[in-house]
Each structure stands twice: as structure tokens, then as C-alpha cells.
Amino acid sequence: MNTDSEPILETREVLKSYSNAGQIIQAVDHVSFAVRPGEFVALVGPSGSGKTTLLALLAGLLQPTSGEVQIGGQQLSKLNDAQRTRFRAQKIGFVFQASNLVPYLTAQENVELMLKLNGTLTRERAARVRELLARLGLETRLKNLPAQMSGGQQQRVAIARALAHQPDVVLADEPTASLDTERAFQVVQTLGDLIHEQQRAGIMVTHDLRMCRWVDRIVRMTDGRIAEVVDSPQEILALSTTTH
């Protein structure tokens, strides 16, 4: 991570509120933080703490009640719906709890699909897709359908799909929830390595502190607010080696 560089992603006093039975609920309550190139951040906290709502705001899937989300210098609130959709497709990569692969497409075709949707699939980029899948240990699985791969292999294909179009930001929502511990470690380590190497801004929502040993910073949320930020490597390691 380059601490002297400008943030790729930044939130400024972001508030997301809902009305429920006449009561105002602050799902995200004046959250401000920044993520720089090559930085991998974990969002942790109990259920209902605002992690997933914040991730949706970062992705432009939800609009804040007030405050600002900025990616690569672009304020998301300045974009209309069509522009936000196009911006997400070009600038943001997603990794979800389930791999969400297209079952009738091979590993390579699943990754190339994102480039096709963006209109950017060329022979050179197809070669880069194969290189990325090989980097993820999937060089012998290029022609396999999802059903022919393990859960960990499917999630690595999902990581390749999230990175293939060279996004500024990678957002991962509980990417290891359906994996056993060994495969979960492999997936998060691989994701962290690629975020660092490719100088992306990475944010991962997780309930499992053991997955945080490969991140640069832990942001703990409670009741929609940032309750604690842990950025000491020693503290991160100590948290991530506690029993889940």
C-alpha cells in the first residue's frame, strides 16, 4: 500500500436512514474513511451493525441519505441511474458469498463474460484472463463448468471475474461464508495478494476475524458507526489468530 497516494475510495459523513413504523433507523451513521491503492480493508461487526448497507452504498447500489461516496475522484451522487450502472461495470469488481457463476459457462467463459458485457473482450484480454486464472491455480480448469469444480475453485474463478476488467475497487461480501476453513484461507489470501499486487482498493465484509490476517486494516462497525479501527500488523495478527 502506498500511504502517500490519493485514496481511490472515500466516504464523507455518509448517512443512510430508514423509517420503520414511524421510527428513524440509522443503518449507516455518519461514516467517513478512505482506502488507498493496494490497501485491503476488512469491515467487521455484529449482524445489523451496518456492514452490508455500507458495502451497498460503496457500490452505488444504494444512495446515501446524506454525505458522499467518491471513487477515483467521481462522486457517485452526481451520476444518474444509467451512469451509475455503467460506472459499476467499469470501475467496481464484486465477490459475493456464493460464486454466482453461470452454470453452463466454463471457468474461462465466466471470467470473459464481464469483459463481453463491458464491450472490452479482445484477444489480448482473453490471454490476460487465462494468465489470471493460472495465477489463481486454475490453469487446468479453464474448460471446466462450475459443477466440475470445488467450492474454493469456484470462488477463485469469481475473484478472477471481479478483477478481469481491472476495476479501481474490489468489494467482497462474506466471500468465504460457504467454504471450509482451509479453502476460506486460500481464497482470502489470494484475494489479498492480488489487491496488493494490482494496487486495487479492496474492502471485504466478514464475520470471521480469522480471515483478517491478510488485510491491512480492520474497521469495526457497531450500530451503523465506526467503533474501532485496527491498523497495527501486530494487532491484526493477534485478532485473526483468536478462536472464532
Side-chain angles (χ1 to χ4, degrees):
M1 177 186 62
N2 184 355
T3 55
D4 296 327
S5 59
E6 289 294 317
I8 291 180
L9 182 151
E10 190 170 6
T11 71
R12 297 171 182 168
E13 292 293 316
V14 167
L15 171 71
K16 183 62 177 179
S17 60
Y18 297 98
S19 177
N20 184 18
Q23 223 178 4
I24 301 298
I25 297 171
Q26 315 286 20
V28 174
D29 193 357
H30 295 93
V31 167
S32 298
F33 73 103
V35 186
R36 289 176 167 74
E39 185 177 20
F40 191 21
V41 175
L43 284 179
V44 305
S47 178
S49 62
K51 307 184 302 297
T52 300
T53 301
L54 178 57
L55 205 71
L57 290 165
L58 299 179
L61 296 169
L62 291 177
Q63 290 302 297
T65 305
S66 63
E68 189 55 65
V69 176
Q70 185 169 290
I71 294 176
Q74 174 65 61
Q75 293 184 18
L76 298 192
S77 64
K78 303 294 185 184
L79 304 176
N80 61 34
D81 289 344
Q83 290 170 331
R84 272 196 301 275
T85 298
R86 188 162 56 250
F87 186 86
R88 275 195 301 272
Q90 294 173 348
K91 300 296 185 181
I92 301 175
F94 297 93
V95 185
F96 301 100
Q97 292 184 28
S99 60
N100 293 327
L101 301 180
V102 180
Y104 52 83
L105 296 182
T106 67
Q108 182 174 337
E109 289 168 342
N110 263 286
V111 178
E112 289 177 348
L113 180 61
M114 176 59 75
L115 299 176
K116 286 181 179 178
L117 293 174
N118 282 338
T120 58
L121 180 59
T122 62
R123 184 174 298 178
E124 179 184 357
R125 291 200 173 206
R128 193 180 302 150
V129 165
R130 292 192 292 273
E131 291 172 7
L132 181 55
L133 286 166
R135 168 72 178 78
L136 289 162
L138 296 168
E139 63 273 11
T140 64
R141 299 288 186 173
L142 300 181
K143 303 304 179 185
N144 284 135
L145 297 172
Q148 298 170 315
M149 293 181 284
S150 69
Q153 288 168 338
Q154 290 179 39
Q155 275 298 64
R156 279 182 273 160
V157 174
I159 289 172
R161 182 182 58 192
L163 290 164
H165 59 297
Q166 298 181 312
D168 289 342
V169 174
V170 179
L171 303 176
D173 186 10
E174 299 278 9
T176 63
S178 60
L179 302 177
D180 61 51
T181 301
E182 182 180 355
R183 287 179 176 82
F185 282 159
Q186 291 172 355
V187 164
V188 177
Q189 182 177 15
T190 301
L191 180 60
D193 287 346
L194 287 168
I195 286 168
H196 293 143
E197 290 170 15
Q198 298 186 6
Q199 291 293 288
R200 311 301 176 203
I203 299 179
M204 173 180 67
V205 167
T206 183
H207 70 282
D208 191 344
L209 284 172
R210 297 176 302 171
M211 299 301 132
C212 294
R213 65 185 64 183
W214 294 282
V215 306
D216 305 294
R217 185 155 43 110
I218 297 172
V219 176
R220 191 189 301 273
M221 293 189 68
T222 304
D223 297 328
R225 291 179 173 270
I226 293 178
E228 180 185 20
V229 176
V230 179
D231 55 13
S232 159
Q234 292 80 10
E235 289 184 74
I236 290 172
L237 183 60
L239 285 171
S240 64
T241 53
T242 57
T243 302
H244 174 58

